[in-house]
Amino acid sequence: MGATGSKENSYSPPSPYTPGGAAYGARHFSPVQSERPRMPPFTLKVGIVGSGRMGCLIAGELVRRGCTVVLYDMHEPTRTSAFERLCELAKVSLPKQDAELAIARITVANSLKDTLDRSELILEMLAEDLALKQALFNQMCNILKQLGRSPGQVTLCSGTLTVPIGDIVGDIQTQEYRGSCLGLRFLYPVWFIDDVEVINCDHTKRSTRENLEKKLKALDFQPFLSQNVSSRRKLNPQEVAFFINKADRQRQRKVEQEQQSGLQQDGQPLDQPRYSIGSNVYVKRSNGEESIAFVKEYDAAKNIYTVELDQAGSGKLIKQCREDAMRKGPSAAAAAAAAAAAAAAAAAAAAAAAAAAGPCTREDIYQVLFSQGDEEDAVDAACGGSSG
């Protein structure tokens, strides 16, 4: 198993990352912020059937790359919680603007028919159960025929990990759709990973595979072909560490370039903070409320402010925050009056909130993406939201 043909822009890490090895062909990802353009011009309409953990991770990565995603699960509570998990993951893992754009591209469908009607690529993410997958693929093909969707207008994919795609496809009664079916597996932990596995079978048309690979590449994925499920590639800890270190170096280079140009993306001079030292600002707290704060310092390289809550010399919590968590505050006199009025009533609450406040760190995001076990565990968790 492995990628077929040459790959552009592949890295050449030292041994044991040799062709055919576990790490061969892996691509850079950034656990905090992608270095790619915010949203590619190419948009793919994807329907995901099964809203468990893996289904949610895949949906999040697809919308991050510019796709529109329709999520479906036969269990209404699972659909609702899946959307909430996706929104939370996007807010933690992406810059504010990217997160808002990604969330806007996600919708939840109330029926399988609605999901298929709004999608050109359908990805099944059910339990690793042959009968369950066969029943769903038969149902989807019958619905597509009722909708008047020809086999060339849709691609049916299974995220199967252990069940051969040929066994799933071979049972389809509406046989004209067999050629539009194949396997598509995203490498865990999915987010920011470029490599995806495409699994062929005897029924898959060559044009189906080639068209899918073309669409994936347009989204900056790097598809590699596999013929079976007997040996599956996983990302090992060394690869993850390699990706993280590479991401850090790229972000540092980006900061240095901005410093050399003297401008941030919005045209604000780097050495002149938006909020001047000594000014009053409103700072968003962990509970969603805002507090008045006094700007003490500004780190231009990291674009981070150090603020003291309430006013200078208040002795309240000193924290660090970014511009997207701040807005212009009142005049000094008004700020002092507001702080004094709120101090007595909010002292205990402010202290409690302060313990949880602070900027999102890389470790926070790693905890979200990597602390939930490996891919098999993730697929098992996804089975709790299986849809038929």
Side-chain angles (χ1 to χ4, degrees), residues 26 57 106 126 173 229 260 273 318 324 338 357 372:
L57 288 172
I106 305 169
L126 303 191
Q173 302 301 313
V229 295
Q260 291 173 1
I318 295 178
D324 58 5
Q372 304 183 49

Side-chain angles (χ1 to χ4, degrees), residues 310-311 334-346:
D310 283 358
Q311 57 184 335

Side-chain angles (χ1 to χ4, degrees), residues 277-290:
I277 306 302
S279 64
N280 293 296
V281 294
Y282 288 108
V283 176
K284 187 176 294 185
R285 305 294 298 279
S286 58
N287 61 4
E289 298 179 354
E290 289 184 330

Side-chain angles (χ1 to χ4, degrees), residues 52-372:
R53 189 198 309 163
M54 278 297 283
C56 285
L57 288 172
I58 293 169
E61 178 63 5
L62 288 172
V63 295
R64 191 187 71 82
R65 292 175 184 255
C67 297
T68 59
V69 171
V70 180
L71 265 180
Y72 173 72
D73 196 285
M74 67 181 296
H75 304 293
E76 192 279 332
T78 304
R79 296 197 295 267
T80 303
S81 62
F83 182 76
E84 293 173 350
R85 287 197 304 270
L86 267 173
C87 293
E88 192 63 30
L89 182 59
K91 292 175 182 177
V92 170
S93 305
L94 299 175
K96 182 179 180 181
Q97 183 178 353
D98 285 0
E100 292 173 350
L101 288 172
I103 293 171
R105 292 175 177 268
I106 305 169
T107 56
V108 179
N110 294 321
S111 69
L112 180 59
K113 182 177 181 180
D114 184 34
T115 305
L116 300 181
D117 192 32
R118 296 160 57 188
S119 308
E120 56 186 302
L121 171 67
I122 296 97
L123 177 60
E124 165 267 309
M125 289 301 301
L126 303 191
E128 291 295 294
D129 182 290
L130 175 60
L132 188 64
K133 292 178 182 290
Q134 287 176 334
L136 175 62
F137 268 74
N138 266 306
Q139 184 181 4
M140 290 194 298
C141 291
N142 289 334
I143 292 174
L144 289 170
K145 190 170 185 178
Q146 295 171 9
L147 291 172
R149 303 283 298 278
S150 68
Q153 294 177 317
V154 66
T155 304
L156 294 169
C157 299
S158 173
T160 178
L161 184 66
T162 60
V163 180
I165 183 64
D167 293 351
I168 301 172
V169 174
D171 184 64
I172 293 178
Q173 302 301 313
T174 314
Q175 297 187 8
E176 61 264 33
Y177 289 95
R178 287 181 178 178
S180 301
C181 302
L182 72 173
L184 179 62
R185 171 178 165 255
F186 292 77
L187 303 186
Y188 192 79
V190 180
W191 273 56
F192 309 106
I193 306 297
D194 288 346
D195 285 28
V196 291
E197 182 184 47
V198 177
I199 307 102
N200 248 346
C201 72
D202 293 339
H203 301 284
T204 305
K205 291 182 178 179
R206 180 177 179 178
S207 59
T208 298
R209 175 177 60 82
E210 291 177 345
N211 288 336
L212 177 61
E213 290 178 345
K214 183 178 179 181
K215 292 175 180 177
L216 292 172
K217 289 178 180 178
L219 294 166
D220 207 19
F221 284 112
Q222 295 293 332
F224 63 94
L225 185 64
S226 175
Q227 296 292 345
N228 57 64
V229 295
S230 60
S231 178
R232 313 306 292 269
R233 177 186 164 196
K234 292 184 179 182
L235 297 178
N236 58 47
Q238 290 77 19
E239 288 179 280
V240 174
F242 177 84
F243 299 149
I244 292 172
N245 291 334
K246 184 175 181 180
D248 288 340
R249 291 194 299 271
Q250 289 190 350
R251 278 194 300 277
Q252 183 58 38
R253 285 197 296 269
K254 186 176 181 180
V255 169
E256 292 173 355
Q257 291 171 358
E258 290 175 346
Q259 289 176 327
Q260 291 173 1
S261 67
L263 294 175
Q264 294 178 339
Q265 292 181 359
D266 60 359
Q268 183 76 12
L270 276 172
D271 58 352
Q272 297 180 16
R274 183 184 300 277
Y275 305 106
S276 60
I277 306 302
S279 64
N280 293 296
V281 294
Y282 288 108
V283 176
K284 187 176 294 185
R285 305 294 298 279
S286 58
N287 61 4
E289 298 179 354
E290 289 184 330
S291 296
I292 295 175
F294 173 82
V295 178
K296 295 177 65 68
E297 298 176 4
Y298 174 66
D299 188 332
K302 297 180 180 179
N303 192 23
I304 290 179
Y305 293 81
T306 300
V307 301
E308 183 176 7
L309 295 187
D310 283 358
Q311 57 184 335
S314 67
K316 295 291 185 69
L317 173 73
I318 295 178
K319 62 173 291 183
Q320 292 183 326
C321 54
R322 297 185 181 276
E323 285 184 357
D324 58 5
M326 303 166 61
R327 67 184 179 90
K328 186 177 180 180
S331 65
C360 178
T361 64
R362 281 174 31 193
E363 287 71 19
D364 295 332
I365 297 169
Y366 303 158
Q367 183 70 16
V368 173
L369 292 178
F370 301 116
S371 67
Q372 304 183 49

